[in-house]
Amino acid sequence: MQNQHQSPSAVLTPEAIAARVAPQDSPARATDDVARYALGLGDDALVLAQRLGSWIAAAPELEEDVALGNIALDTLGHARGLLTYAGSAWDQTEDDLAYFRDEADFRCRQIFERPNGDFACTIARQLVVSAYFTVLYRRLADSADPTLAAIAAKAVKEVEYHLDHATLWTVRLALGTEESRRRMIAGLEAIWPFVDELFAADPAADAVPAAAVAPAGLREPFDALLLPVLDQAELPVPGIAAVRGGGRLGVHSEALGPLLAEMQVLARRHPGAVW
Amino acid sequence: MTEEPRRETWPLWEVFVRSARGLSHVHAGSLHAPDAELAVRNARDLYTRRSEGVSIWVVPAAAITASDPDAKDAWFESPRGKDFRHATYYTASQAVPHL
């Protein structure tokens, strides 16, 4: 069909980034500082994608399997672009970074590694992280670093849809039955201690102020997106203290290790395997 | 052993996708969704993953009245042999030059 695959070249794919940074002396390679920043963002997306992937064949209905699977694949796409770019500074591929780093080398914020819980808990996490990604990528699209700006420009359209998906479900669960409301509140309370860390200082961002988005500045636009949804869903903002955080420094909760073990076992047992 | 409570299933929706401006919406398939807003999003995820569409309609399957599939002969056999219903049946008269 003529109209299919409209101008795919307008979108910067992970493969295109890999090709661009392949030559040893390529000016498109990330500097060490920018790579450290991209690594944190890439790990956030990678770990979330891995979490969401486990909903496939386990969601309440087949249609929701596909919806969460699509969101997982979008998110994995962001991770691939960011990790490919980060790896260019250190002669590493996206797979090297995804499969052959250990837990302490991961830089994801802890909210992304939170267990899925029930469907409402996953929706609560999706609501928070999609609002965060939306404000982050909107700003990162103006980054002085052209590769980060291009990755963000593509990602922002996708995460806006993820936010829409999470918003619809949040409202339905919160205002549905007594049981769905109970679960939605419990899910939001389970995720809330990890919200503040999203806006905590990131040394990697501070090192490259022109390329990066300062996390603290995202709190206000994040609240402007999220709070009206909670209001619409008649959900109280949980009054729960934040956890210590530290994901950007390699400090993780007990949830990350098993996730990585499952994600990495195949690549580690059969190094270089392709299919 | 207690019997598991019967799980209510979501209602069925029929999905129509328009592939490009100027074309009609075409029936793409059906899906389950709890309401119209989620149905149109599920349709986006199920039927437009490969850039198939620029517009989606969803219709509750229960709202569609269909012809009886068992009455195909009575309904659709009749036009056979009635070629005079097609324009090609008629030959142009030589006296009409610009037809």
Side-chain angles (χ1 to χ4, degrees), chain A residues 41-52:
Chain A
L41 300 188
D43 283 350
D44 288 347
L46 175 65
V47 168
L48 179 67
Q50 179 69 15
R51 276 281 180 245
L52 288 174

Side-chain angles (χ1 to χ4, degrees), chain A residues 165-256:
Chain A
H165 172 266
T167 298
L168 257 68
W169 271 118
T170 299
V171 172
R172 276 157 182 73
L173 293 171
L175 304 179
T177 64
E178 200 178 312
E179 176 67 2
S180 73
R181 179 166 181 80
R182 183 189 70 74
R183 287 181 184 236
M184 194 63 230
I185 290 172
L188 196 62
E189 286 178 348
I191 219 67
W192 204 255
F194 299 89
V195 172
D196 282 359
E197 191 200 350
L198 291 170
F199 311 100
D202 176 0
D206 294 341
V208 285
V213 177
L218 293 174
R219 185 69 202 232
E220 203 184 311
F222 168 84
D223 284 344
L225 272 186
L226 184 78
L227 298 183
V229 178
L230 299 187
D231 196 43
Q232 188 193 347
E234 296 172 22
L235 288 170
V237 176
I240 302 176
V243 294
R244 186 175 52 134
R248 283 286 189 266
L249 304 173
V251 178
H252 297 289
S253 65
E254 74 287 356
L256 183 62

Side-chain angles (χ1 to χ4, degrees), chain B residues 6-95:
Chain B
R6 208 184 71 81
R7 216 163 138 261
E8 272 180 57
T9 51
W10 292 342
L12 192 67
W13 302 75
E14 299 296 334
V15 179
F16 299 83
V17 174
R18 194 181 71 197
S19 61
R21 209 164 179 77
L23 297 180
S24 313
H25 284 75
V26 174
H27 186 231
S30 51
L31 52 77
H32 291 94
D35 57 46
E37 271 191 301
L38 281 164
V40 79
R41 281 160 182 81
N42 287 349
R44 178 249 192 204
D45 288 337
L46 285 166
Y47 294 109
T48 66
R49 285 169 52 96
R50 299 176 184 87
S51 305
E52 290 95 336
V54 294
S55 168
I56 298 171
W57 290 347
V58 292
V59 179
I64 293 179
T65 307
S67 59
D68 179 1
D70 294 330
K72 243 196 253 170
D73 293 353
W75 278 63
F76 303 115
E77 286 287 307
S78 167
R80 286 207 192 160
K82 294 173 181 164
D83 294 348
F84 51 82
R85 288 181 179 174
H86 294 267
T88 48
Y89 176 81
Y90 301 96
T91 46
S93 165
Q94 296 204 336

Side-chain angles (χ1 to χ4, degrees), chain A residues 14 17 37 46 67 76 87 123 125 137 139 143 156 159 162 183 185 188 213 238 259 268 270 273:
Chain A
I17 297 172
Y37 176 65
L46 175 65
L76 185 65
I123 290 300
R125 191 185 61 205
Y137 290 142
R139 293 215 177 157
S143 168
V156 74
V159 295
H162 304 171
R183 287 181 184 236
I185 290 172
L188 196 62
V213 177
L259 177 148
R268 289 185 177 209
H270 305 280

Side-chain angles (χ1 to χ4, degrees), chain A residues 80-100:
Chain A
R80 292 188 57 208
L82 289 161
L83 293 182
T84 298
Y85 186 47
S88 73
W90 310 310
D91 277 324
Q92 298 209 297
T93 66
E94 48 176 318
D95 283 0
D96 293 336
L97 291 175
Y99 296 131
F100 296 97

